[in-house]
Each structure stands twice: as C-alpha cells, then as structure tokens.
Amino acid sequence: GAGVSQTPSNKVTEKGKYVELRCDPISGHTALYWYRQSLGQGPEFLIYFQGTGAADDSGLPNDRFFAVRPEGSVSTLKIQRTERGDSAVYLCASSLQSGGLADTQYFGPGTRLTVL
Amino acid sequence: AQKITQTQPGMFVQEKEAVTLDCTYDTSDPSYGLFWYKQPSSGEMIFLIYQGSYDQQNATEGRYSLNFQKARKSANLVISASQLGDSAMYFCAMNDGATNKLIFGTGTLLAVQP
C-alpha cells in the first residue's frame, strides 16, 4: 500500500514568512509524529498525535510552531515568522497505534525547509 | 532522560563482508524498544529491525540482526553479506513506552566498497 507522503518535498521561504508542511499518513494508522532533522544529526521529536489530539507536544521548540490533525488523518505542521534556524528536514511518521513498544513508526520522505 | 550513543561517525566495509554498527543506550525505564533505521541519500528513513527490552532472543530480519546485550545497554546492528546498496546512514533509536516518541542517535555513515 501507499506509504507516508509529505508535501512539498522542498520549500524555500524568506525569514519572517509563514509556512505549512503537510503529512498524509499510512491509511489506518492512528498515531502520527513530526520530527525535525538538522544537517548531520538524527531526527528530533516535535509532536505526536493520537487520533485528532496532540498527545505530546513537548518537542515543539517555541510557540511559532503549531500542528493540527483535524480529522485524525492528514496533519499540517505550521511555522510562523520563520527564522534561518528553522531550516531543516521535517519528517513525518505514522504508526498503527500508540502505546506498544513494538509499534513501529514508518517515515515519509520529508520536507526540506530552507529559510533565507 | 533517555539517550542513544553511536560512536562511529563512519564505517567502511568490503562488499560481501559482515559489519557491526555500534549503539549504546541509557534509560531508567525497564520497558523500552530499540530500533534501527536506514537513511539513504534520498532522505527517507527505512525501518530495519526492532528489539524489545523483554525479548529473550536477538532480533533478526533477513541480513540484519541485532546483538542485544541488556546488561551492557548495547544494541549493535550486524549486517551480513554487505551489498553496495547498503551504503547509507544508519540510525539507532529507542522509545519510552509512554508516548512512543523515538530518541535517535547521531548516526553512522556506512560505505560499502566493491
């Protein structure tokens, strides 16, 4: 079946602008995660959804970052007043259900965000 | 806090040989899961193998096996019969069982030489 998809694949914006990054999880997966990967680093957790609600947003760096998942499927990560330090690859992952240790997360191809 | 350490920034291996990628972890939770992911130059994270903290046997998935040594808090990935297509970045990760978020190491870049 189809994997996790993310759009756009690349986004270039200017400092101070607003951006939206979209994630479409694997069909039937109730858990959805956002991570951010800076150059040369492993992914860092941002936020996790179980269904429509954000179950853990402890990884969001500040209040410029916000994510929604209104219908429990597609999620949008929103970044306001972008800064150059926001430049990174934003990865989305989904899993069948949250709570089990063996609940494997499957990742999308990522969105490369560049803030000029 | 949980932490994953990968001490090998880069590794070389000859095609058809086996290679071990090191991973140590730190956690105070008795329940946790350990994962390995492959990230080729295309950028997508590909799940390889999983080991649960209570699993008695080492996990295996095809050419991948996980050498789990709980007392030493290590979870090394062994790739047998390396192929050119195995050249990629490899990340070790663990979850905490509460929110299931993954904590990643800094990765090891593997280069398979013909």
Side-chain angles (χ1 to χ4, degrees):
Chain A
V4 177
S5 62
Q6 292 185 247
T7 55
S9 55
N10 280 284
K11 177 70 177 178
V12 180
T13 191
E14 294 180 342
K15 180 175 177 295
K17 298 290 187 182
Y18 167 84
V19 296
E20 290 189 351
L21 311 179
R22 176 189 166 108
C23 172
D24 201 340
I26 294 171
S27 178
H29 280 193
T30 60
L32 185 146
Y33 302 80
W34 284 98
Y35 294 85
R36 179 168 71 173
Q37 186 175 22
S38 300
L39 194 62
Q41 301 295 317
E44 293 180 317
F45 170 79
L46 294 176
I47 187 170
Y48 138 68
F49 288 90
Q50 177 59 26
T52 60
D56 182 354
D57 64 357
S58 62
L60 295 178
N62 51 60
D63 61 5
R64 295 187 298 106
F65 288 75
F66 189 71
V68 295
R69 194 186 185 198
E71 298 179 357
S73 179
V74 171
S75 176
T76 304
L77 178 66
K78 308 181 181 190
I79 310 174
Q80 298 177 324
R81 304 184 303 282
T82 52
E83 300 177 357
R84 293 193 179 87
D86 299 336
S87 297
V89 175
Y90 290 81
L91 294 166
C92 177
S94 69
S95 67
L96 193 58
Q97 61 183 19
S98 180
L101 291 175
D103 189 34
T104 299
Q105 295 179 31
Y106 296 92
F107 284 79
T111 293
R112 182 176 299 277
L113 176 66
T114 303
V115 182
L116 301 176
Chain B
Q2 296 177 316
K3 186 178 180 181
I4 293 284
T5 301
Q6 294 181 256
T7 57
Q8 305 157 313
M11 290 281 287
F12 288 97
V13 64
Q14 290 294 123
E15 196 178 5
K16 300 180 184 178
E17 292 186 349
V19 63
T20 298
L21 306 183
D22 294 342
C23 171
T24 58
Y25 60 91
D26 191 18
T27 181
S28 56
D29 292 330
S31 301
Y32 50 88
L34 295 157
F35 299 79
W36 277 91
Y37 284 85
K38 172 184 178 182
Q39 189 176 43
S41 56
S42 59
E44 188 163 349
M45 299 284 284
I46 302 168
F47 166 71
L48 296 178
I49 194 166
Y50 161 80
Q51 179 87 40
S53 59
Y54 294 117
D55 293 343
Q56 296 297 312
Q57 292 188 326
N58 287 342
T60 60
E61 288 287 349
R63 294 186 299 111
Y64 304 108
S65 61
L66 200 151
N67 184 2
F68 181 46
Q69 299 188 40
K70 195 170 183 176
R72 298 179 60 184
K73 293 188 174 179
S74 73
N76 298 340
L77 177 70
V78 180
I79 305 175
S80 63
S82 296
Q83 302 172 356
L84 295 178
D86 294 335
S87 294
M89 198 75 171
Y90 288 81
F91 289 96
C92 180
M94 71 183 302
N95 61 11
D96 64 5
T99 63
N100 216 27
K101 66 184 179 186
L102 292 174
I103 308 298
F104 285 85
T106 52
T108 296
L109 183 60
L110 177 67
V112 180
Q113 298 175 319

